[in-house]
Amino acid sequence: IPWEPCPGVPEGAGAAGGGKSQTGRSRVWLAGSGMAIAVRYSSLSGTGISGFQSAYIHWYQHMPSRAPQRILYIGSGQATYDDNSYRNKYTSWKQGTSVCILSVRDANSNDEGTYYCAYCGYYNKVFGSGTKLIVSGKLHAIFHATKQSRPANFEILQKEHKNQIMYVCLIEKFYPDVIRVTWTDKGNKIVEGDNIVKGDAWKPTKEDKYSISSWLTVPAEKKDENYYCNYEHETGKESVTKQGI
């Protein structure tokens, strides 16, 4: 997600990992005769923080096939918009010591995407897991929290062809789609070169979770050597070896 310098450092703010991260909980409701939709986040730690009303909270929209765009940020006063055209569409305000709300007016199919709330710490931003907006028909909209999901399947497949062996590392059903995949040898040294092909994360039709694969090709005479596929994701990290397949 694009990073912009924080407008200021709120009192009591901390860097990621300092206990001030988002809980990811959200509440959603419809209001009015039109299509007013508000997203309610318990934006920071469950107990709230000192100085929350002056803390800078950022809202982003991520639409399919486009880079995430910041909509606005809000501190102790009114929201500051990245584009004046957003003023008639979005509104944001705070409640208490831990809740920030984004309202989307007259939602339509052009507003579909995932909306992220971010808290500005000392050195970086801490992002929540996101809330996806799906608009169906004239007066129906669905907001659902898109929670982080650890890969449900992680394995290495092996295929030998002539004088080469191909190892395919398959990682399935994780969210969000940002993930780092590497290959290492038995000495934990990262394997690099033209013999590695890294695919992009893909999302099967009608699913909210992503999958990715990576290929490692080695000479057949190295079939007895151990190679490991490793991933690093927001939900954690894991490693698997070709042995046992």
Side-chain angles (χ1 to χ4, degrees):
I1 291 178
W3 182 89
E4 298 90 3
C6 296
V9 178
E11 177 187 352
K20 300 290 192 296
S21 61
Q22 279 189 264
T23 64
R25 295 192 299 268
S26 64
R27 294 180 183 177
V28 182
W29 64 89
L30 304 180
S33 58
M35 186 58 70
I37 302 176
V39 184
R40 183 175 180 174
Y41 266 96
S42 180
S43 301
L44 306 172
S45 60
T47 58
I49 63 167
S50 174
F52 174 73
Q53 286 295 329
S54 61
Y56 286 96
I57 306 297
H58 304 250
W59 284 97
Y60 287 79
Q61 180 197 49
H62 186 198
M63 302 179 72
S65 304
R66 289 177 55 182
Q69 298 289 329
R70 189 175 66 176
I71 299 170
L72 58 83
Y73 66 86
I74 182 170
S76 58
Q78 294 185 347
T80 299
Y81 295 85
D82 283 48
D83 191 304
N84 283 331
S85 64
Y86 296 156
R87 292 181 179 274
N88 294 326
K89 172 63 69 172
Y90 305 101
T91 307
S92 184
W93 66 94
K94 298 176 182 177
Q95 290 182 350
T97 61
S98 62
V99 177
C100 188
I101 298 169
L102 177 71
S103 173
V104 185
R105 297 190 184 97
D106 301 320
N108 56 63
S109 59
N110 293 326
D111 300 317
E112 290 188 345
T114 303
Y115 290 78
Y116 294 91
C117 181
Y119 166 61
C120 203
Y122 276 122
Y123 304 108
N124 53 16
K125 289 178 182 174
V126 181
F127 284 85
S129 54
T131 298
K132 181 174 287 185
L133 169 63
I134 302 172
V135 180
S136 176
K138 294 182 179 180
L139 293 175
H140 298 279
I142 301 172
F143 259 112
H144 65 86
T146 309
K147 298 181 179 179
Q148 295 175 348
S149 179
R150 193 180 186 91
N153 182 56
F154 180 33
E155 62 181 337
I156 295 180
L157 307 176
Q158 177 179 331
K159 182 178 181 180
E160 187 169 352
H161 179 68
K162 294 183 179 179
N163 60 343
Q164 292 183 324
I165 298 177
M166 176 182 290
Y167 301 111
V168 180
C169 179
L170 181 61
I171 307 171
E172 296 180 299
K173 297 183 178 180
F174 56 88
Y175 190 92
D177 59 338
V178 179
I179 192 169
R180 180 172 182 256
V181 182
T182 58
W183 289 91
T184 53
D185 59 20
K186 62 181 180 180
N188 203 33
K189 181 180 178 181
I190 294 180
V191 180
E192 298 178 311
D194 296 335
N195 59 329
I196 293 178
V197 177
K198 297 179 181 179
D200 295 325
W202 76 88
K203 183 173 65 173
T205 304
K206 297 183 180 180
E207 287 193 19
D208 291 330
K209 298 178 182 179
Y210 292 83
S211 297
I212 196 170
S213 56
S214 179
W215 297 264
L216 170 66
T217 303
V218 299
E221 56 265 26
K222 292 187 176 183
K223 65 180 181 179
D224 294 328
E225 295 188 15
N226 287 339
Y227 293 95
Y228 300 82
C229 180
N230 320 277
Y231 75 75
E232 295 179 57
H233 187 252
E234 289 186 24
T235 57
K237 58 178 67 175
E238 196 171 337
S239 179
V240 67
T241 180
K242 69 180 181 66
Q243 288 186 334
I245 60 176

